[in-house]
Amino acid sequence: MLEDKNRQKTSLASLGEFGLIEHLTKHFKIQHATTEKGIGDDCAVLSSSDKQTLITTDLLVEGVHFDLSYVPLKHLGYKSVMVNLSDVYAMNAEAEQITVSIAVSNRFPLEAIEELYSGIQLACDTYNVDLIGGDTTSSTKGMLISITAIGKANKEEVVYRNGAKANDLIVVSGDLGAAYLGLQVLEREKQVFKVNPQSQPDLEPYTYLVERQLKPEARKDIPRLLKELEVQPTSMIDVSDGLSSEIMHICTQSKVGCNLFEEKLPLDPQVISTCEEFNIDSTMVALSGGEDYELLFTISIGDFDKIKGNPNLTVIGHITEENQGMNLITRANQSIKLKAQGWNSFDEENE
Amino acid sequence: MLEDKNRQKTSLASLGEFGLIEHLTKHFKIQHATTEKGIGDDCAVLSSSDKQTLITTDLLVEGVHFDLSYVPLKHLGYKSVMVNLSDVYAMNAEAEQITVSIAVSNRFPLEAIEELYSGIQLACDTYNVDLIGGDTTSSTKGMLISITAIGKANKEEVVYRNGAKANDLIVVSGDLGAAYLGLQVLEREKQVFKVNPQSQPDLEPYTYLVERQLKPEARKDIPRLLKELEVQPTSMIDVSDGLSSEIMHICTQSKVGCNLFEEKLPLDPQVISTCEEFNIDSTMVALSGGEDYELLFTISIGDFDKIKGNPNLTVIGHITEENQGMNLITRANQSIKLKAQGWNSFDEENE
């Protein structure tokens, strides 16, 4: 769990709740003028603004959302922040603040929580967001992380899920499916390790996949890029549960249909080669993998020239009338109904 | 856990995550014009404002913060909201929105979660706040509730913990210690029930205490009352961990000392009689009990006439210079150093 097994271990009880919060947050610096008061009072205080405020929250549970046997705590802290910032960027907004609450059992020494917070701090520094509050408590089992992110945008810039219109183009940033395959690689190594603890995993052929799983980056650059290109998306969502599930959210809320083109789905070469090795269909992985934290959005067809050829963006389909349904057009030019096979934490297998 | 043991039980897996959120939140109505968009997108959206925004968050863990063997789920939902609203009122502000995230193991049927949400909804209706988002997921053990509350106040009205000055009066709303004693009564009944499951508890002599523990009310009325009285507190905090711990926060952050007068501490008659029955010192209970969710604040001595005789407010002491320390003046006119014996979730006993 900790990278250096010989490091000092300090019990959380020796610090107490207030001591722990102060200890963990003393190196965080406030970067936004809008953060009038961060940690240390009953509430954080944000200054008044002529922009809209965006709020999103996520709860991550050990054993459900992450497995500490192969996720380093620093990466977990970083990723927990990314998951939330991604939701802010998916509104075409800038993230400015986060609150972080954690519950941990006493099996975690202080040094483990410090590792987690070092990842949170790296995320705050890299993405220019202020940690402004939170709660730190004990749990009876395992670790839980609850993060709320706060963002800002001009009213006319906010992009919802419900604005897609027939004939709009469907665009996705980056590539898809790598994070899911990274998880498969890590799960396989875990099983190998269980059988033979002396084995040294060779993750070299999978570096991109493992990095996408363990250290995803939220697409802060995309809202900025779209502003530069003078493109206002008609709808937007981030790809957390899988492309298929996300486009279905957009279509349902916008009351439209869609055609996604299999041949257009952006795949990294490592995704293609690893799908062959694992004998999985790469289209399935791109559609249902999830955790890519790319942005999926629709634009008016009149904006096509503005994004054409941009290496960050791929047009993968178009919006249709609602009665046409939500379809994948295969390489063989067959139309198949999309299914949401996104991750569902209430599946019976989690019992 | 559920009041009617014969009610239908629906598994959470049968609804799925999105179905569950929709099912639980469909009866919540948006009440604030500032809530531009509630549940259903990547973020909630709040309109721009010339007021400051206040943010607070709390994480409640089954087995640490609550015990479902004597806390009805509806009360738990209500109290979880109160804990957060209380922090907003403690800034002299109005609460407008909340997000609610829950993690539950599959031992909870849908009907249990509905009970929890009915308490959350009652709190939202009663306190006029909008539920604007959240996350719903499974846990490997027990129930967790993470709530973030968002409030608004004019910049010049916000009250921090750090503004108390020497000679300011220390004022508390309501009375102290009842919630703690309510917990002692419930714990005793739980032990009796373990020995004799046929026993019928007689909670009649303890109704106020049990209600203060199970269904506390945050003091939304106090910031309004203070405005009416034209009193701007110099510092404020809510009493969640215990009076002693809270006044010490104010003194430390304001760099001042204090004298609290034992004879002034407001106690309900049920607190006095139950302390006698349990053979506990009522002053100890008032100082360290916690969970009262009253507001503790300081005012300039010049404002005394404005609050004098108000049945909601009691002057319990005054602020001194920092070098005088933080003291309780006993009925025998002895000065005793205050100790923070507030609740600490990292005590070894929680291991």
Side-chain angles (χ1 to χ4, degrees), chain A residues 44-335:
Chain A
V45 181
L46 312 182
S47 57
S48 61
S49 166
D50 54 2
K51 295 190 175 190
Q52 292 191 322
T53 302
L54 296 100
I55 311 264
T56 180
T57 190
D58 265 300
L59 186 56
L60 303 176
V61 182
E62 181 182 354
V64 178
H65 301 90
F66 57 89
D67 180 338
L68 289 176
S69 65
Y70 52 71
V71 178
L73 280 159
K74 185 172 178 178
H75 285 74
L76 177 62
Y78 192 88
K79 182 170 176 173
S80 305
V81 178
M82 288 308 114
V83 171
N84 280 279
L85 299 188
S86 183
D87 281 320
V88 176
Y89 303 140
M91 304 295 286
N92 204 31
E94 293 269 339
E96 296 194 344
Q97 290 92 8
I98 57 169
T99 67
V100 175
S101 295
I102 59 167
V104 282
S105 72
N106 281 358
R107 87 168 204 258
F108 293 94
L110 174 63
E111 288 72 17
I113 313 303
E114 285 175 342
E115 281 285 308
L116 180 78
Y117 269 75
S118 73
I120 292 169
Q121 185 162 13
L122 179 61
C124 284
D125 290 346
T126 309
Y127 284 78
N128 192 33
V129 299
D130 294 339
L131 177 70
I132 58 165
D135 197 4
T136 309
T137 187
S138 61
S139 76
T140 51
K141 188 184 168 199
M143 177 183 283
L144 280 105
I145 308 171
S146 175
I147 296 189
T148 297
I150 299 133
K152 282 276 190 314
N154 291 315
K155 182 170 182 167
E156 64 278 9
E157 287 166 355
V158 173
V159 177
Y160 293 90
R161 295 177 178 175
N162 64 2
K165 298 271 179 294
N167 299 318
D168 282 356
L169 298 177
I170 301 168
V171 187
V172 70
S173 64
D175 54 71
L176 299 169
Y180 173 82
L181 283 179
L183 185 62
Q184 303 315 307
V185 168
L186 290 168
E187 289 275 6
R188 184 176 67 177
E189 292 308 323
K190 183 181 170 183
Q191 297 311 320
V192 170
F193 182 82
K194 271 188 191 165
V195 176
N196 175 13
Q198 302 308 315
S199 72
Q200 289 291 322
D202 176 18
L203 294 177
E204 181 63 30
Y206 315 109
T207 46
Y208 180 67
L209 309 182
V210 170
E211 185 162 340
R212 290 282 281 179
Q213 170 59 226
L214 293 183
K215 192 166 177 287
E217 303 288 349
R219 298 306 303 255
K220 179 182 183 168
D221 56 324
I222 299 295
R224 292 181 176 188
L225 174 66
L226 292 172
K227 270 184 201 74
E228 275 172 37
L229 298 174
E230 297 179 359
V231 172
Q232 172 75 5
T234 54
S235 69
M236 185 146 63
I237 193 169
D238 73 319
V239 183
S240 52
D241 291 335
L243 175 63
S244 185
S245 166
E246 312 304 354
I247 192 67
M248 291 174 77
H249 280 303
I250 284 184
C251 288
T252 307
Q253 294 203 24
S254 300
K255 300 194 172 63
V256 292
C258 70
N259 287 328
L260 290 184
F261 294 92
E262 183 179 22
E263 63 180 354
K264 301 288 189 187
L265 300 178
L267 304 176
D268 185 85
Q270 275 190 13
V271 167
I272 296 168
S273 60
T274 309
C275 277
E276 280 168 10
E277 181 191 339
F278 278 65
N279 202 20
I280 326 178
D281 178 24
S282 62
T283 300
M284 206 58 201
V285 166
L287 285 174
S288 304
E291 294 201 280
D292 294 312
Y293 300 107
E294 295 295 342
L295 294 180
L296 174 71
F297 55 96
T298 54
I299 61 169
S300 163
I301 197 161
D303 283 336
F304 176 61
D305 282 346
K306 297 179 189 169
I307 66 146
K308 193 172 57 177
N310 190 301
N312 288 293
L313 305 175
T314 310
V315 176
I316 58 172
H318 60 257
I319 297 294
T320 62
E321 299 293 344
E322 188 172 19
N323 59 17
Q324 313 249 156
M326 299 175 271
N327 310 295
L328 177 76
I329 312 299
T330 67
R331 287 193 185 84
N333 210 25
Q334 282 190 307
S335 178

Side-chain angles (χ1 to χ4, degrees), chain A residues 44 46 53 55 59 138 146 253 345, chain B residues 40 44 46 53 55 135 138 146 345:
Chain A
L46 312 182
T53 302
I55 311 264
L59 186 56
S138 61
S146 175
Q253 294 203 24
S345 78
Chain B
L46 312 182
T53 301
I55 311 265
D135 197 5
S138 61
S146 174
S345 78

Side-chain angles (χ1 to χ4, degrees), chain B residues 166 255-258 320-327 337:
Chain B
K255 299 195 173 62
V256 293
C258 70
T320 61
E321 299 293 344
E322 188 172 19
N323 60 17
Q324 314 251 150
M326 299 175 270
N327 310 295
K337 262 198 169 341

Side-chain angles (χ1 to χ4, degrees), chain A residues 10-70:
Chain A
T10 309
S11 86
L12 296 178
S14 68
L15 275 164
E17 186 182 349
F18 301 117
L20 178 60
I21 293 171
E22 201 193 318
H23 179 83
L24 293 173
T25 60
K26 64 186 172 194
H27 297 302
F28 284 75
K29 288 195 177 55
I30 296 296
Q31 308 183 60
H32 285 275
T34 54
T35 308
E36 299 248 346
K37 171 79 186 180
I39 292 162
D41 215 300
D42 297 289
C43 292
V45 181
L46 312 182
S47 57
S48 61
S49 166
D50 54 2
K51 295 190 175 190
Q52 292 191 322
T53 302
L54 296 100
I55 311 264
T56 180
T57 190
D58 265 300
L59 186 56
L60 303 176
V61 182
E62 181 182 354
V64 178
H65 301 90
F66 57 89
D67 180 338
L68 289 176
S69 65
Y70 52 71

